[in-house]
Amino acid sequence: MSVELQVIRANEFVRLDAHQHLNLAASKEVLRALAMGCRKRGIDHAVLDVRTLPVLPKPHFSTTELASLVSAFRDGGFSSRQRLAILYRHDVYGGIRNFAFIS
């Protein structure tokens, strides 16, 4: 049985402003568009690859921002029938586990 899988790398959706701060609205919109693209192609499995994100002195995302990013997948057509996995190296602040829990 074959499975078609979409890999979404951090550099494809993490958007920064001119001061290298997270642009949440732009990042969320890109994730929504990627999720919609998966659904249009009939892809039910996606992997978010955030292994290249550096570990910063403070978390990249607040819990509210993580919930906002999760909602981008729902807005893009992902439901409980689709699967989203997250690849990561370090979860120093627990944000990745929170993202998975919120999902």
Side-chain angles (χ1 to χ4, degrees):
M1 178 174 142
S2 66
V3 174
E4 200 166 339
L5 175 72
Q6 175 71 42
V7 177
I8 304 168
R9 291 173 181 78
N11 65 343
E12 294 179 52
F13 74 90
V14 174
R15 297 293 182 252
L16 304 175
D17 64 16
H19 303 288
Q20 298 298 306
H21 297 113
L22 175 71
N23 183 331
L24 182 64
S27 298
K28 183 177 174 179
E29 182 56 31
V30 171
L31 276 179
R32 187 186 69 74
L34 288 167
M36 285 178 66
C38 287
R39 297 303 307 132
K40 284 182 183 178
R41 293 190 317 267
I43 297 174
D44 291 330
H45 301 86
V47 175
L48 275 180
D49 184 353
V50 296
R51 294 176 293 176
T52 60
L53 287 179
V55 176
L56 300 178
K58 65 178 192 158
H60 286 276
F61 307 103
S62 70
T63 303
T64 303
E65 291 169 332
L66 289 171
S68 178
L69 292 173
V70 168
S71 72
F73 274 90
R74 281 193 292 263
D75 295 345
F78 265 60
S79 70
S80 60
R81 287 175 277 184
Q82 284 71 45
R83 297 292 176 248
L84 177 64
I86 305 171
L87 292 176
Y88 63 95
R89 291 188 198 279
H90 307 286
D91 190 15
V92 176
Y93 304 108
I96 294 169
R97 286 183 292 267
N98 285 340
F99 184 92
F101 177 75
I102 294 166
S103 297

